[in-house]
Amino acid sequence: MTAAPARRAVRLPEAASILSTNAASAPFFYGGQAVLEGVLMRGPRHFAVAARRRDGSVAMLVEDLRSRIYTGKFFRLPFVRGVVGLVEMLHLGTRALMWSANVRLAAEDMEIGRGAITATVAGSLTFSIAIFFGLPLLAGGALRHQGGSLAFTVVEGLTRALLLLGYLLVISLIPDIRRLFQYHGAEHKTINAFETGAPLTVGGVGPQCRRHPRCGTGFLVVVVAVSIVVFTLVGRPSLPWLLASRLLLLPVIAAISYELIRLGARFRANPVVAALLVPVLAAQYLTTREPDPDQIEVGIRAFLAVREKEGALVPAAEPEPVPVR
C-alpha cells in the first residue's frame, strides 16, 4: 500500500450536514468494517464500500442486500440476529475485501480472484479455530487433577484472551495493518458522528471518538466472558464431548454476546453499564488508530452512499469544495 495522497480539495455531498438531524430517529444500527484502503458501511437494505485508488481518487461500490438472510424478519429476531450478523459480516467482508484489493491492484493491471480470497479466508478461519480454541483447551487441561470446571474454564478463557491480545499487538506493528486500523477508526468516528448528531463532514467527524460499544473487537471481549460462564455449565466431559461443546456452543455464545453488546450500546449512559463497557472499549485501542482526513473522507463517502441509496437524502447540487489538510 502507498501513503495517503498529498493535500487536495475534495467534494462531499452538501446534504452531509443535514443527515445529522435524522440520527435520533434512525431505527437501524449502522455498522461496517475496514477494508484495504477503504471502509465498508452496511445499511438495512444496502451496503457501500469506498476505497482510495493509488491516484488519490475514491472508488465506490454500492449494492442492494437482496438475500433473505438480510431482509427476512426471522433473521432479525433477538438471539437469531447475533449468529446471522456473524455470517453477514463474513460474507460482506470477504466481498468488500476482494473488491478493495482489486481497486488497489488495478493500476498494476492485476486482479485477485474470488477463489484466492475464499481460500485465504477459509485457511485463516481454520488456523484461528485451531489456535484460539486448541491452545486454551491444552492450558485448561493442565488443571486436570486440580480444581473444578470453573477453574478449568477460567484458565481456558484467560488463555484465549491473552492469545487474542498478543495477536493484535503483533499485527499492529505491521505498517499495512496500522493503516487498516486507521480506516477502522474512520468507520467508528463516522458512525459516532451520525449517532451523536454531529455534521457528517471531515471537520465534524474528525473530533469524534474512535471507539464504539458495538465494535467487533469489543464483541470478542464479551465472547470470552460469556464463554467462561457457558463452558462452566458444561463442566469437564471426555475429550470428544469437550471439543464438540466448544464448536456446537459457539452460536449460542455469539447470540448472547451480540445481545449484550446491543444492550451496552443502548444504555451506555448508565453508570453501571459504562463501567462494564470499560474493557470492551479499551480493547479497541488495539484495533483502531487515529485516521487522517483522507481516511475520514473515505468513511464519510461510504456512509453517505448507503444513506442516499436508502432514500435518506436527495443528492445535492454541486457543493463548494471542502478542504482536506
Side-chain angles (χ1 to χ4, degrees):
M1 296 181 185
T2 58
R7 296 181 182 182
R8 65 189 178 283
V10 296
R11 296 181 180 276
L12 295 178
E14 189 178 23
S17 59
I18 300 175
L19 276 178
S20 61
T21 60
N22 299 327
S25 60
F28 181 81
F29 286 141
Y30 286 88
Q33 68 181 70
V35 296
L36 297 177
E37 289 297 322
V39 174
L40 159 71
M41 290 291 189
R42 193 260 206 237
R45 299 180 303 278
H46 306 85
F47 75 94
V49 192
R52 181 77 67 185
R53 295 189 181 96
R54 292 189 183 275
D55 63 4
S57 60
V58 178
M60 298 293 306
L61 172 68
V62 184
E63 291 188 4
D64 300 340
L65 295 170
R66 296 190 179 92
S67 172
R68 289 289 296 170
I69 198 172
Y70 299 111
T71 60
K73 292 183 178 180
F74 170 76
F75 299 111
R76 303 273 72 82
L77 292 175
F79 296 102
V80 175
R81 61 193 175 193
V83 180
V84 172
L86 291 179
V87 176
E88 286 181 3
M89 291 313 296
L90 181 61
H91 174 243
L92 286 182
T94 301
R95 288 186 62 190
L97 180 63
M98 182 171 63
W99 178 82
S100 65
N102 287 327
V103 167
R104 297 296 291 173
L105 292 173
E108 303 174 12
D109 294 326
M110 298 174 62
E111 184 175 350
I112 300 178
R114 184 180 297 272
I117 291 288
T118 302
T120 301
V121 171
S124 298
L125 284 175
T126 302
F127 177 77
S128 299
I129 290 173
I131 295 298
F132 291 108
F133 282 88
L135 289 182
L137 281 176
L138 289 176
L143 299 176
R144 180 168 296 277
H145 301 297
Q146 51 185 317
S149 60
L150 178 59
F152 176 84
T153 51
V154 167
V155 170
E156 178 191 356
L158 291 178
T159 302
R160 187 171 295 119
L162 291 173
L163 283 172
L164 177 62
L165 292 175
Y167 169 76
L168 293 176
L169 282 172
V170 170
I171 66 172
S172 67
L173 301 176
I174 303 172
D176 285 350
I177 299 298
R178 260 200 317 272
R179 284 194 62 79
L180 185 72
F181 287 171
Q182 284 181 284
Y183 279 104
H184 190 193
E187 176 228 330
H188 283 190
K189 283 174 175 281
T190 302
I191 293 177
N192 277 327
F194 174 73
E195 292 181 346
T196 59
L200 288 183
T201 60
V202 174
V205 171
Q208 299 297 314
C209 181
R210 75 173 196 255
R211 294 168 295 142
H212 194 285
R214 293 199 310 274
C215 175
T217 306
F219 173 77
L220 293 178
V221 173
V222 177
V223 163
V224 170
V226 172
S227 67
I228 291 176
V229 176
V230 173
F231 291 153
T232 298
L233 297 177
V234 173
R236 297 174 62 178
S238 60
L239 183 60
W241 285 109
L242 188 66
L243 294 174
S245 69
R246 272 32 180 186
L247 293 176
L248 295 177
L249 288 175
L250 269 179
V252 176
I253 293 170
I256 296 172
S257 301
Y258 184 83
E259 297 304 320
L260 291 176
I261 282 288
R262 285 177 64 97
L263 286 172
R266 186 180 296 275
F267 299 105
R268 55 183 157 178
N270 182 285
V272 175
V273 175
L276 293 174
L277 283 175
V278 168
V280 173
L281 297 174
Q284 296 173 39
Y285 282 115
L286 294 174
T287 60
T288 63
R289 295 291 186 273
E290 282 296 327
D292 60 36
D294 286 334
Q295 293 166 324
I296 291 173
E297 177 206 339
V298 170
I300 294 172
R301 285 183 180 273
F303 187 80
L304 292 181
V306 169
R307 292 283 291 170
E308 181 178 329
K309 191 70 173 177
E310 298 285 346
L313 63 95
V314 178
E318 186 70 11
E320 290 299 313
V322 177
V324 175
R325 303 183 184 278

